[in-house]
Structures are given as C-alpha cells and as structure tokens.
Amino acid sequence: MTTISAISVFCGSRFGDPPAYRRAAEELGALLAARGIRLVYGGGSIGLMGALADAVLDGGGRVTGVIPEFLVKHEVEKRDVTDLIVVDSMHARKTRMFELADGCIVLPGGLGTLDEAIEVITWKQLRLHDKPMVLVNIDGFWEPFLALVEAVVGGGFAHPAVRGLFTVVDHVDQALPALEAAPETNPEVLTSHL
Ligand code: AMP
C-alpha cells in the first residue's frame, strides 16, 4: 500500500467535450479535499485544471500550483491557491510537480497533458522513480493512447511490462484506491536523476 498525502494531476487547459470531463475534474477535486490529500497541479485557472483546483479549494482542501513564468499570463495564474511556485521552464514545472507528489493521476487533456503523462511514464520505464500512476479513462478517452501503447509493444519497441507502468480506471472514484493499492515506492530508486 502506498501512503498518499499529495498527488499531481495532469489534465487539460480546456474543458473538452463531453461535459463528463469537467464533472470528473470537479468530482476528483471534491474527493481530494474530503480525503485531506494535497493537489499539486499546473497552477492555471483555465479549463479542467482550473475546475479541479476550484473544487479542491471549495471543499476546504490544499492546492499547490507550479507554473512557469512565461505561462503566468496565458494560463491565468490562479492566485487563490494555497501555494504557488513559479519556475523558469516547462521541464522544471513537470519535475517540481512530480517531486512534490506521492503519485500521479491523469485526466483527459490535450497535447500538454499527453506530454506530461508520457514523460512521467518514461521516467518510470527508466527506473528513475516508481511512483504510482493512474489514467482515468472517462468515456473511453484514453482508448486511442492504450491502442498506441499496444502497437508499440506489438511492434517490438517496448517490453510488454510497460503495460504495468500505469493503471487504468474508468471512474474518478477508483483513482485514489488504485494509487493506494500500488506497492510502497522503492526508496532505492534514483529520483535524484530527475
Ligand atoms: P493541454 O493538455 O495541452 O491543455 O495542456 C495541459 C497543461 O500542460 C497546461 O498547463 C500546459 O501548459 C501544459 N503543457 C503544454 N505543453 C507542454 C509541454 N510541452 N510540456 C509540458 N507541459 C505542457
């Protein structure tokens, strides 16, 4: 069992369509607040990211935003978070978000979300960490990604064990139990390389 006191969530800077994506972000935010788990996220106030952070704050929970200086204007830095960390690059943002969290949840999102999710998965493939990761497959959103992973494995470009680098759940309320069910993270993993 992994003890989860903070999680990073990657999700869209737009709401996407159908509205089930937005409802999922709000539901996850309420769950985190109710469980006293700190949200670590990209620090913006737009799209699913903003809806998620608002739901945590509305529920009385704690939110740490991590945003690169140059995005402060575009993603409309969310000023009412518990802590806002301004970093100097996208890479620093991903690394900082990841360092601060005990695990990672990925909701639907765009290319930025894909980049973030794939980078954290590849860090795990390289054994730079073994933090648990959960993809929430709202309305089958992640099916094309899962098919691509199968194509990569089928094409001989990845070991079949890569399927075990992340867990897929269908509903937001399964995400925290899935993270907690992961084995305790291995302290020998070299996170100093991140
Ligand atoms: P998106 O999923 O494209 O709406 O973006 C979600 C979040 O990912 C936003 O905070 C973006 O700033 C961020 N993002 C966009 N592109 C990248 C990238 N290349 N690397 C890391 N994060 C990104």
Side-chain angles (χ1 to χ4, degrees), residues 62-133:
R62 292 165 304 154
V63 176
T64 298
V66 185
I67 194 160
E69 179 90 59
F70 84 97
L71 272 184
V72 164
K73 289 190 220 90
H74 305 292
E75 294 191 357
V76 198
E77 163 197 14
K78 199 159 163 44
R79 293 179 184 276
D80 55 349
V81 294
T82 322
D83 302 296
L84 187 72
I85 301 172
V86 180
V87 293
D88 58 10
S89 68
M90 297 301 267
H91 185 72
R93 176 203 243 177
K94 265 182 289 197
T95 305
R96 196 80 191 102
M97 282 176 67
F98 192 72
E99 283 169 352
L100 291 170
D102 303 307
C104 179
I105 293 178
V106 188
L107 295 179
L111 297 180
T113 302
L114 272 177
D115 168 89
E116 292 164 334
I118 290 177
E119 183 149 13
V120 171
I121 292 171
T122 56
W123 287 342
K124 195 165 178 179
Q125 179 177 241
L126 293 169
R127 303 180 73 92
L128 295 174
H129 73 88
D130 70 348
K131 294 185 185 182
M133 233 189 129

